[in-house]
Structure formats: C-alpha cells, structure tokens
C-alpha cells in the first residue's frame, strides 16, 4: 500500500515538473537536472561516431575486461566532447551499454562530477567556486556580478550562446580565493580547456567576460598584479635566501 502511494506521489511530482517545463523553456537548464525535453530524452538515438569508436576501444583497453565500468569517466568525457560540451541522457545510456552496467550507475557518476554538463552550456562556461575560503572572500558577490552583467540565472545560457554561469566546488586554489574557472569550448568541445582566474573581484570578472567576448585571452592565474602565482602580495618577507643545511650527524658517536 505504501509503495503504491509513494509511486503515485512520485508520478504526480514528475507531472508537475513537466508542466512547469512546458511553460518555461529554460526550466531544465536553470535547474541543471534532467527533465524529458525534445532534445534530451532517452528515446533519441545516440551512439559514438566512427571517429570516436576507435577511441572507445583504446579507452577500454586500459582496463581488465571484467572491470569495464572503470572506464565510465573517460567515456563520459568523450561522449560530452562529441555532443558539443554537454551530456544528454541518451548519451549516458549509450555509455552504460558500452561498459555493461545499469544506466543508473552512469547517472550517478555524471551527476556527481561538475565536469559533466547535463544541460547545454555556453561556449564559455563560467564556474564560480562556492566553497568556504572563496565564499568568505566574496564568491557570492562574484557570482552576482556575472549573473547581473550577463542577464541570466545560474546554469542558463545567454541568448547569443556565448556564456553560461555555474558553480563548482573547491578547485584547489584556496590561497588565491576567490576564483573562477572558465571551461572554454570556443574552438569546439573536443580538446576544451579549463582556465583558472584567481584573486578576482566583481569588476575583474566582468572585464574577463568582455575580453572573452572580443575573442581575447585573459591571462590565467592570479589577477592581482602585486602577487606572483600564489606568493604573498608585495613579495616574500621571510625565506629570502637558501636555508642553511643541518649540521652533519656524527654517526661514529652513536
């Protein structure tokens, strides 16, 4: 009885989501999870193209035949590159067939890692770090500046298809917080790059956007001219020379 009620309720919730999706074309993109739509549903045929079928075999060759599922991440990345920088559910199903697992096992991976985009993204996908060090240093203001300047919500794509804004958890540059990364698909999804921009301010991220719009390549790394990489602003104040070596130990005295 409880199972039937739960199933009925789940179907009702899904129907509500579908109705909302029909009234807002950007609904699934804004929420960044899968809802059936004309360009993203399991009934759309999808398979690796001829050029990538050889790459699939090469990827699988790195794993024992009874551990094909270990190839899920590189195969998802290959599928995403083939599909223009995002993963429709039919592509995830195709990967599941290749590695011979239930589709849910592939969904679990694709929904965990933020490198996989489950909705369309812009040619420049701007990802704001939202973890504690960056948040303390103003990442919320960084995201607000980007969304306001571009006139979009999180995970929406601008009308010209150039930009989208998302969030990524810790990217490992806490000492240069706050930071963003730009997933650059401007030259195609194959061989895309992730470029880090650190020590950013609301003003600087807007400047970076406009430089990208003009086809320029902003310098990667820290955006603070007073710093060199992750060094202290203004330069080192200690450890200015080679440290003295420790005195040799007299092994004969032991």
């Amino acid at each position: 009885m409880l199972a039937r009620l739960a199933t009925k309720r789940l179907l009702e919730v899904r129907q509500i989501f579908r109705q909302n999706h029909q009234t807002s074309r950007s609904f699934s993109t804004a929420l960044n999870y899968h809802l059936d739509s004309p360009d993203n549903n399991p009934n759309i045929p999808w398979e690796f193209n001829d050029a990538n079928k050889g790459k699939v075999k090469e990827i699988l060759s790195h794993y024992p035949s009874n551990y094909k599922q270990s190839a899920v991440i590189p195969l998802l990345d290959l599928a995403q590159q083939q599909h223009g920088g995002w993963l429709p559910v039919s592509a995830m199903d195709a990967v599941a067939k290749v590695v011979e697992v239930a589709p849910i096992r592939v969904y679990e991976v694709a929904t965990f890692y933020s490198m996989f985009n489950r909705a369309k993204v812009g040619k420049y996908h701007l990802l704001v770090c939202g973890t504690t060090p960056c948040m303390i240093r103003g990442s919320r203001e960084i995201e607000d500046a980007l969304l306001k300047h571009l006139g979009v919500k999180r995970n929406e794509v601008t009308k010209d298809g150039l930009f989208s804004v998302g969030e990524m958890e810790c990217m490992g540059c806490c000492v240069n917080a706050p930071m963003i990364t730009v997933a650059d698909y401007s030259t195609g999804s194959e061989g895309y790059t992730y470029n880090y921009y650190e020590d950013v301010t609301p003003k600087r991220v807007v400047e970076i956007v406009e430089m990208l719009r003009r086809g320029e390549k902003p310098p990667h790394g820290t955006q603070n001219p007073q710093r060199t990489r992750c060094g202290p602003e203004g330069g080192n104040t200690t450890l200015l020379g080679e440290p003295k070596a420790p005195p040799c130990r007299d092994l004969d005295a032991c």
Side-chain angles (χ1 to χ4, degrees):
M1 181 64 180
L2 289 175
R4 286 198 299 270
L5 289 173
T7 302
K8 181 180 178 181
R9 181 56 181 160
L10 180 61
L11 291 174
E12 290 174 350
V13 170
R14 186 174 179 83
Q15 183 62 30
I16 292 171
F17 279 138
R18 282 180 172 173
Q19 290 172 352
N20 288 339
H21 177 60
Q22 292 172 358
T23 60
S24 175
R25 294 179 62 185
S26 63
F27 185 72
S28 62
T29 303
L31 293 178
N32 200 25
Y33 59 73
H34 173 69
L35 293 173
D36 285 353
S37 62
D39 61 350
N40 191 5
N41 68 75
N43 298 318
I44 298 176
W46 199 99
E47 64 177 359
F48 285 103
N49 58 34
D50 291 338
N52 283 334
K53 285 179 180 178
K55 295 180 181 179
V56 169
K57 291 181 180 179
E58 194 275 331
I59 289 171
L60 291 175
S61 71
H62 292 275
Y63 305 93
S65 58
N66 57 329
Y67 284 99
K68 285 184 177 181
Q69 65 269 30
S70 299
V72 166
I73 288 179
L75 288 176
L76 282 174
D77 184 56
L78 184 63
Q80 178 167 278
Q81 292 187 44
Q82 177 178 313
H83 201 75
W86 68 286
L87 280 172
V89 66
S90 54
M92 291 186 274
D93 290 347
V95 170
K97 289 181 180 179
V98 170
V99 298
E100 299 177 358
V101 298
I104 186 61
R105 297 303 182 191
V106 177
Y107 304 161
E108 289 170 344
V109 176
T111 57
F112 181 82
Y113 292 102
S114 52
M115 66 180 282
F116 298 123
N117 305 311
R118 288 167 291 118
K120 291 181 179 179
V121 296
K123 290 184 178 180
Y124 300 102
H125 189 38
L126 314 172
L127 296 162
V128 182
C129 180
T131 313
T132 306
C134 281
M135 184 177 64
I136 292 173
R137 296 278 292 168
S139 64
R140 290 289 178 258
E141 290 78 7
I142 300 299
E143 183 184 48
D144 289 344
L146 288 171
L147 297 177
K148 182 178 179 180
H149 181 70
L150 294 171
V152 295
K153 297 178 181 178
R154 184 187 289 181
N155 295 314
E156 283 185 342
V157 183
T158 55
K159 292 181 180 179
D160 58 11
L162 278 179
F163 298 99
S164 54
V165 180
E167 182 181 13
M168 184 184 286
E169 292 308 307
C170 187
M171 295 180 240
C173 285
C174 307
V175 69
N176 288 3
M179 69 161 295
I180 66 171
T181 191
V182 177
D184 186 344
Y185 302 103
S186 61
T187 57
S189 55
E190 295 190 16
Y192 65 91
T193 59
Y194 275 93
N195 300 318
Y196 279 19
Y197 299 92
E198 305 147 18
D199 290 309
V200 292
T201 63
K203 178 182 177 182
R204 182 56 183 165
V205 291
V206 170
E207 293 173 349
I208 290 172
V209 164
E210 291 307 308
M211 292 175 72
L212 293 171
R213 192 191 301 277
R214 294 192 297 267
E216 302 173 12
K217 299 297 182 183
H220 306 161
T222 179
Q223 303 299 297
N224 183 346
Q226 303 301 316
R227 301 184 70 170
T228 301
R229 297 184 177 87
C230 61
E233 183 172 329
N236 291 349
T237 57
T238 59
L239 301 177
L240 300 177
E242 289 293 327
K244 293 181 179 180
C248 293
R249 183 178 178 185
D250 185 359
L251 297 179
D252 295 331
C254 294

